[in-house]
Amino acid sequence: MPRIMAKAWGFGLAFIAAAMLALALRPDLRLAARVAWNDPRLLPAFADDARVHYEPEARACAEVVAEIAPRAIAQIESAHGRPFAQPPIVGVYASYETYANANAMDDPGIAAVTRGGAALLSPTLCSKERDRLEGVLTHELSHVHLSGWRPFGAPRPPQWFTEGLAVMASHGGGAEGVSEAEAAQAIRDGYRVVLDERRWIDFAGLAFEREPPRDPKLDALTQRQRLAYRQAGMFVGWLRMRDETAFLQLLRALEAGRPFGPSFESAFGENPSELWRRFISDLSERSRGDAPK
């Protein structure tokens, strides 16, 4: 083999080895590579609505999504206070295996997830959980909206805020089965979600001040997750109602890539823990005011 070719071959092998080592050492790079490989933009899309991509077997469901999408998009733009940075992309799946690969979690049981700036919808939303389709789609579009404006590599807001924002903006999407009245009573009874920096993507790791009682008729993991989401959504909604100017100031700061803690205090003049305690106090006062005289 000529010397130049041998050097080139050796350099190529070294580059591949270095890339494989980088992927092995950096889970975030592995995730990014997997997301790119399974990008829903590679799937077919409707000629008259390029935002909705779908597996061919999911075309009928994708048609429903395309019908829902305009009002879901308008709802999120209204709640977030500005248009999407770019047209949102939605992927609709028929195969649980393909969906699990696309969501990069190997978990087909998650109803939807946002990856690479696109909302990915599980086949379950086209079948046994069809009644959740619009709410969950709208919920995920909240994530797409926020991530679409934020610079790459910007610090992530805490999960309680992003999920609470999505629940609030979607009018309860992702928290189905837990009403605001039930969540409020759980808060008053001390079964309060802990609003910390925890990555709520680990649903089994959701923390409560006191472990909420379990309904034996319901899946424990789903029950805890939706109670947490509903409580966070109520708190975010309370923040917005209390001072919409401050709320939108916080969103614009997060969209610019600024860190959550300082941005929150700059907008509201207090930290989340202080306002969370005030929110709990308001719930208790409303409860006493509603009690029969």
Side-chain angles (χ1 to χ4, degrees):
M1 179 182 295
R3 183 177 300 175
I4 293 177
M5 289 183 64
K7 285 184 177 180
W9 179 253
F11 176 79
L13 289 176
F15 178 81
I16 292 171
M20 292 179 66
L21 179 61
L23 291 174
L25 295 176
R26 290 281 303 277
D28 55 333
L29 292 179
R30 290 203 306 273
L31 176 62
R34 189 170 180 184
V35 167
W37 184 260
N38 294 282
D39 193 323
R41 296 168 184 84
L42 301 175
L43 297 173
F46 291 115
D48 57 348
D49 192 345
R51 298 171 299 191
V52 180
H53 295 250
Y54 56 91
E55 286 191 290
E57 298 82 1
R59 182 183 175 92
C61 185
E63 289 173 348
V64 177
V65 171
E67 179 184 344
I68 293 170
R71 62 176 176 267
I73 290 169
Q75 185 171 321
I76 292 302
E77 290 182 336
S78 175
H80 284 242
R82 73 190 305 192
F84 282 79
Q86 54 271 328
I89 298 298
V90 181
V92 185
Y93 293 86
S95 162
Y96 283 96
E97 180 180 1
T98 304
Y99 169 68
N101 285 328
N103 72 28
M105 298 172 68
D106 295 319
D107 187 351
I110 300 172
V113 69
T114 295
R115 286 280 185 241
L120 313 181
L121 306 183
S122 166
T124 191
L125 294 173
C126 300
S127 53
K128 62 182 180 180
E129 294 189 84
R130 170 65 181 80
D131 59 327
R132 298 182 66 208
L133 176 59
E134 183 160 356
V136 171
L137 169 62
T138 311
H139 177 113
E140 291 303 322
L141 287 174
S142 172
H143 297 321
V144 173
H145 188 288
L146 183 59
S147 64
W149 282 105
R150 293 173 63 248
F152 181 78
R156 292 185 60 179
Q159 206 83 354
W160 69 259
F161 179 80
T162 57
E163 295 299 345
L165 173 63
V167 170
M168 182 274 292
S170 64
H171 301 162
E176 300 89 350
V178 179
S179 69
E180 289 198 356
E182 291 168 331
Q185 189 58 52
I187 289 172
R188 287 190 288 266
D189 291 341
Y191 307 117
R192 302 164 187 159
V193 68
V194 176
L195 303 186
D196 57 14
E197 298 298 315
R198 188 184 304 268
R199 282 176 56 84
W200 283 15
I201 201 167
D202 177 14
F203 300 129
L206 281 169
F208 285 83
E209 292 180 17
R210 290 174 59 201
E211 189 62 23
R214 182 181 173 189
D215 185 339
K217 301 188 295 296
L218 301 175
D219 174 74
L221 188 58
T222 300
Q223 182 184 1
R224 292 177 83 258
Q225 176 197 343
R226 294 186 187 177
L227 176 60
Y229 277 28
R230 179 66 75 179
Q231 291 185 3
M234 290 168 63
F235 179 48
V236 171
W238 179 85
L239 291 172
R240 183 188 183 200
M241 182 177 62
R242 184 173 184 272
D243 190 337
E244 186 168 7
T245 300
F247 179 77
L248 293 176
Q249 178 185 329
L250 172 61
L251 281 185
R252 301 295 87 86
L254 297 177
E255 291 165 354
R258 301 189 185 101
F260 180 80
S263 298
F264 190 100
E265 291 200 40
S266 175
F268 286 99
E270 298 179 76
N271 63 43
S273 296
E274 291 168 335
L275 287 177
W276 172 246
R277 287 192 292 269
R278 191 170 301 175
F279 167 67
I280 294 170
S281 176
D282 280 2
L283 283 180
S284 299
E285 289 176 8
R286 283 207 299 268
S287 175
R288 288 192 293 269
D290 292 339
K293 299 291 192 274

